[in-house]
Each structure stands twice: as C-alpha cells, then as structure tokens.
Amino acid sequence: AGLDRPARPILAEAVEELARMPKPAPWRPGIGLLLLRALLYPVGVATRVIRGISRLTRKRERQMRPLTITSFFQKRFAAIVGNFFRWNPAKKFARRYIVPRVLPQMMTGDQPTQEMQAVPKILQRMAASPRQIVVGPWLSEVGFELLYWIPFLNWVKTYRPFDPERMLVVSRGGAGIWYQNITKNYVDLFDFFTPEQFKAKNADRLQENKQKHLALTNFDREILKLAYQHLGSKQVELLHPMYMYRLFYPYWKSQVSSNLVDTFATFERLPAIDTSDVAGELPRDFTAVRFYFNESFPDTEENKLFVTRLLQTLTDAGDVVLLNPDLQIDDHWEMTIGKNPRIHSVDHLMTPRNNLEIQTKVISRARAFVGTYGGLSYLAPMYGVTSLAFFSHREKFSPQHLELPR
C-alpha cells in the first residue's frame, strides 16, 4: 500500500470500521482494588507531607532558620503580639511602661541571635544521624581558616561526640595536617583543580557570595559532587563554613563581644607533625619569613625599604628561610627579595598540592616567624612558635581579628 495502491482509501475504511464498532464498556476497578486504594491513600499523603517537611527543614537549616514546632508557634505568637502593639493605646503603654524596663536589661550583655540557637540544633541532628559528614569545603583565606574555622570545629567535637571516621574535611594546599585533631580523612581540591582553575572558579564564587562564605555557591555544589564520589554516596550531612561565618558575623560587625567566639570556639595548639622530609633542607636554627603585599601592607617604597632593612637585621643574627611560594592562588601580591647567603628558600619543595603543608612544617621548626600580618602569622603560635607580624594600615582590616589572638 502506498506504492501500487493508494493508502488513503485503506485508512478511510479502517476509520469507518472503527466507528461502527460498539462503544466498549468502561473499566471499573473491583472492590478489592478500591479498598486497597483507600488503605494506601493516607500513606501516600503522609509520605508526601514528610518529604515536603524534610526538604523544607534542610532548606531552612542552610538559611540558619531550623524548622521546629516551638519556632512555629513562637512565630505565630509573635505575629499576634506584633499586631496587638500596632493598636495605638497598646503602643503608648509599651513605650511608657515596657521599653524603659526591658531596654536597660538588653544593654547589659549579648543577646542570643538566631544563629546561636540554630547551630546547636543543627549539630544535634547531625550527631544523631548515621550519615558521613562533609566538613567544608574551605575556599576562603588562610587567616579565617586558622583563627575561626578550625577552633569552631574543635568546639563542635566537644559539643557532641562526633566519630572522626564519619567526617571528611575538604580544603586545599595540603591543609589537612591542620585538621588532625578533627579527623584524618581529607580531600584536597588541588587533586581535582589546577591553580588556574581554582582561582577562576573562586573568583566566580566571590561574584556570587563575596569573600565571606555565607551561602552555598555553584563552586560548592561542584565540589560536593566530588565528595559524593569519594564517599560513594550522596546521603551525607554537610557541615559548611556558612554556619561558622553567619554565627560569628555579629562579632565581626562589633554588634556583640568576643564572648560569642569564646562560646562557640575552642582554641588549642595544632597536633605535632612529622617534619623529617624537610629537615635536611633547613638550617639548624632559623627564622621563618613571609612578606607579601595586601591592603593593610601595600606595595610602597616605604614598605619595601622596611622589609629590606628588617631582613638585613635578621640575617645579621642568623639564618632566614623564606616562605614565599612561586604560586598565584590567592589575591596576595608576593614581593621579590634580593639574594643573601643566609637567606634560604624552600620553593623547590612546594607544589600547589602541598604548599601549606610545607610552610607549616618549616614554621613548626623555626625559632620565630616574621612577616605580613594575617594568614600564617596566626599559624606560628599554634605550634608554640613566636610570631611577629607587620601592617601599615590598620583600618584595612577588622580590629577584632587582631584583638582575638591576644
């Protein structure tokens, strides 16, 4: 049909034949099936509700607003009270009798924030879960990692007895040695990204989320897929830096005292490390030095002259080991330092994958650390090494970061 015989008449006859056929009786389910549907209907509704609540709970957790029955009724009650005090007589009464009594009490100390209430609840749920926990990924500055993130994780492990085997830290540059008190399970981002890729993707993240890691970004999600592959499962908990950042944010903005950090951070020395692989490359006694330019220590002739004279003074007293890696990973501008027989370099030991690990091992063996304020200047005291750091523009960084280590 269609070649030696027209197909249209055949199709028309088939349609007419189909039209002449009697209308089929509608299919009706049996009594047993109807009863089964009736029995399963509540189960289906309950399952759908539970899935919806679970998704909403996770979403609100990431917003630092955990969903609880108590919070539900508190919000409804607060809405009723708020509407009541829109009534002018109630508003006047509050201004006259309530505010004068409550305000002085509020000014005497730090008031609990929503984050202060949310973080413990999130950790309680994680502790009760059997799932593995991805800790990170850490994508921000070294200074914040050492001064806030790791102390926060130290507190997390004292708040609830998390099994180290459940935890997987994600960071970069060989920083895993800083987390040995947390867990020995570590994934390094430079096993998956080149320095150029990392820098470009992190720049995109900063466009999304600025420097502080206050929310999940596309780069985070890409990294989490790698963590899922490493763990062999997507069913994991996520202890993300955004919890720490949002918890401590009021302190950085001078809205509360350092009591907030003291409450949710535990400061302790980092565990001892094996430095035998670098010992042969280092003098017996030396000062570790790392100077670089940033906003608080800009690239000026005055600062260059200061570093030159300081290095001369240090080399007059002994050997110096420079920690300026020839890597372009962050937004710091490395400075060029002249040659001197008492100045030693470890550039040949460093790669993107191990640069923080090598610098840490060198600092832990040094008599002292001298360099630009920030980053590694916080690391030296964590190994019992004296740290002397310099800046020339104090207004370019938050004074809280300087006061806290003291």
Side-chain angles (χ1 to χ4, degrees), residues 114-363:
Q114 288 183 305
E115 287 74 18
M116 292 170 66
Q117 297 171 344
V119 167
K121 292 178 181 177
I122 293 170
L123 294 176
Q124 288 172 14
R125 184 190 59 74
M126 287 187 184
S129 169
R131 297 176 176 180
Q132 291 179 288
I133 304 171
V134 175
V135 181
W138 185 264
L139 304 173
S140 302
E141 313 101 306
V142 166
F144 271 71
E145 187 172 15
L146 292 168
L147 192 58
Y148 297 105
W149 178 232
I150 292 176
F152 170 73
L153 296 178
N154 290 336
W155 169 81
V156 166
K157 292 203 67 176
T158 61
Y159 180 72
R160 284 293 183 271
F162 286 95
D163 181 0
E165 291 303 313
R166 287 184 58 201
M167 308 179 89
L168 175 69
V169 168
V170 182
S171 188
R172 73 279 171 262
I177 58 174
W178 299 342
Y179 294 87
Q180 296 299 296
N181 284 340
I182 309 300
T183 180
K184 291 180 171 55
N185 300 324
Y186 175 73
V187 169
D188 198 288
L189 294 176
F190 287 132
D191 286 338
F192 303 95
F193 304 99
T194 65
E196 294 76 20
Q197 289 173 332
F198 179 86
K199 188 173 182 180
K201 290 177 180 292
N202 217 19
D204 293 339
R205 176 186 69 84
L206 298 182
Q207 291 294 322
E208 282 184 69
N209 198 228
K210 297 187 177 181
Q211 179 68 15
K212 306 315 174 208
H213 219 156
L214 296 172
L216 280 173
T217 64
N218 290 330
F219 192 22
D220 287 288
R221 296 182 181 93
E222 182 178 354
I223 293 169
L224 287 175
K225 290 179 181 178
L226 298 174
Y228 298 154
Q229 293 174 10
H230 180 86
L231 294 171
S233 174
K234 292 183 179 181
Q235 303 303 313
V236 302
E237 302 290 347
L238 177 61
L239 183 51
H240 192 271
M242 66 181 173
Y243 296 136
M244 181 276 296
Y245 271 114
R246 296 172 71 168
L247 178 64
F248 292 159
Y249 192 78
Y251 169 67
W252 299 326
K253 292 299 180 181
S254 302
Q255 297 170 0
V256 298
S257 70
S258 61
N259 289 337
L260 172 62
V261 180
D262 292 338
T263 301
F264 292 96
T266 300
F267 295 90
E268 57 188 40
R269 286 193 178 183
L270 294 174
I273 53 177
D274 179 11
T275 61
S276 58
D277 56 334
V278 301
E281 305 285 341
L282 302 173
R284 179 175 298 180
D285 185 55
F286 65 91
T287 300
V289 174
R290 185 180 181 194
F291 277 101
Y292 54 85
F293 296 124
N294 58 20
E295 289 187 345
S296 65
F297 193 74
D299 183 0
T300 63
E301 292 302 319
E302 182 181 7
N303 283 340
K304 289 178 180 177
L305 181 60
F306 168 78
V307 172
T308 301
R309 289 176 175 173
L310 179 59
L311 278 174
Q312 185 61 54
T313 301
L314 290 173
T315 53
D316 287 344
D319 288 295
V320 166
V321 175
L322 293 183
L323 299 175
N324 292 56
D326 188 21
L327 303 169
Q328 295 298 320
I329 298 172
D330 53 27
D331 58 352
H332 297 146
W333 300 282
E334 303 289 348
M335 62 172 55
T336 302
I337 298 174
K339 293 183 178 181
N340 184 306
R342 303 195 78 172
I343 294 180
H344 309 268
S345 172
V346 289
D347 279 0
H348 61 289
L349 300 178
M350 286 192 278
T351 65
R353 174 62 173 79
N354 72 2
N355 78 93
L356 293 176
E357 179 180 351
I358 295 297
Q359 293 179 79
T360 299
K361 290 180 177 180
V362 173
I363 289 174

